[in-house]
Amino acid sequence: MCIRDRNILGGGGGGQGGQANPAVKKFYNMLSLIKDDVSREKIKKEIDRFAQVDRHNAEYSKMYTYLDEVFSIPWDNYNEEIWDIKNTKNILNEQIYGLEKVKERIVEMVAVNRQKKQESKEKAKGFIVLLVGPPGTGKTSIAKAIGQSLKRQTRLISFAGVSDLHFIKGHRRTYVDSQPGVFVKELIKAQCMNPVFIL
């Protein structure tokens, strides 16, 4: 993941005195937020490198901003999974007129995820819904109704006119004013790892 560059004020020196840098201590203390072992080890190596960089070095602000964005990701924050068939039916019927086959299919997928959760006692993987139709036929309204029925945040991402792959995957950190991909940005805004994405 890559991020935009910005000036960082304050902070101690790097090199051998890097451990005394409050920013380094803060990042080390936040490592426990990352539950995945592979990701945590990778970020730890980045913090080790950051601890050896002098704050007057041009790389300091880039590395600080990268780590700051990494720890802005809601790593282990998931909204509670609510697969309520009755609630889903009620919300879809209240907000969507007609489209009975579409609503029936959505209710089926909610029921399947509820059954999987009850059987395995693990987090359901969710589902992907592809809605096809001309503008103004209710595709976005249906997606928002799904998010409301699951009691999750909805994040709308528009790909209109997008031709740059970096919009999705992010830029390399070596680029000037580099930024993370749009999905990482939306996860940070939502502050949860399982919102409903509307593409």
Side-chain angles (χ1 to χ4, degrees):
M1 183 186 71
C2 306
I3 48 171
R4 64 183 181 278
D5 188 9
R6 65 174 181 241
N7 293 325
I8 307 299
L9 302 177
Q16 298 300 319
Q19 294 295 333
N21 187 337
V24 174
K25 291 183 178 180
K26 179 183 75 171
F27 292 140
Y28 275 127
N29 291 336
M30 296 173 72
L31 268 175
S32 60
L33 297 175
I34 305 176
K35 304 302 182 183
D36 178 66
D37 293 337
V38 176
S39 299
R40 185 171 60 251
E41 185 61 29
K42 183 175 181 180
I43 298 305
K44 184 179 181 299
K45 290 180 180 178
E46 291 291 336
I47 300 174
D48 292 341
R49 288 182 55 223
F50 176 65
Q52 300 301 317
V53 177
D54 189 277
R55 71 184 183 89
H56 299 293
N57 191 309
E59 291 297 312
Y60 181 90
S61 62
K62 293 181 181 180
M63 295 178 70
Y64 181 97
T65 309
Y66 170 76
L67 291 169
D68 190 43
E69 290 281 358
V70 165
F71 288 110
S72 295
I73 297 173
W75 287 95
D76 199 40
N77 186 18
Y78 290 84
N79 287 337
E80 182 184 0
E81 292 182 347
I82 300 175
W83 305 104
D84 190 329
I85 298 174
K86 184 177 180 180
N87 184 53
T88 300
K89 286 182 178 179
N90 291 338
I91 290 177
L92 289 174
N93 288 330
E94 287 174 5
Q95 299 191 13
I96 309 298
Y97 179 78
L99 302 177
E100 297 303 327
K101 290 185 178 180
V102 175
K103 291 188 286 189
E104 181 180 344
R105 179 61 177 145
I106 293 169
V107 171
E108 287 177 1
M109 288 186 284
V110 170
V112 169
N113 277 272
R114 180 182 178 180
Q115 186 67 22
K116 287 181 179 179
K117 183 180 179 181
Q118 290 176 342
E119 292 177 353
S120 64
K121 303 298 182 182
E122 296 179 356
K123 292 181 179 178
K125 293 184 178 181
F127 52 85
I128 297 174
V129 180
L130 175 61
L131 301 172
V132 181
T137 53
K139 299 185 297 297
T140 302
S141 298
I142 291 173
K144 289 182 177 179
I146 292 173
Q148 186 176 342
S149 67
L150 300 178
K151 297 185 179 179
R152 303 229 191 126
Q153 290 193 52
T154 54
R155 309 302 303 181
L156 178 61
I157 300 176
S158 175
F159 289 96
V162 174
S163 58
D164 186 4
L165 182 61
H166 294 107
F167 175 79
I168 300 174
K169 63 184 291 187
H171 299 85
R172 293 180 180 273
R173 278 185 286 164
T174 53
Y175 289 7
V176 177
D177 199 29
S178 59
Q179 298 185 17
V182 64
F183 288 100
V184 174
K185 287 182 180 179
E186 293 301 324
L187 287 176
I188 293 174
K189 290 178 182 178
Q191 280 302 294
C192 71
M193 294 295 282
N194 59 344
V196 174
F197 284 110
I198 304 175
L199 311 180

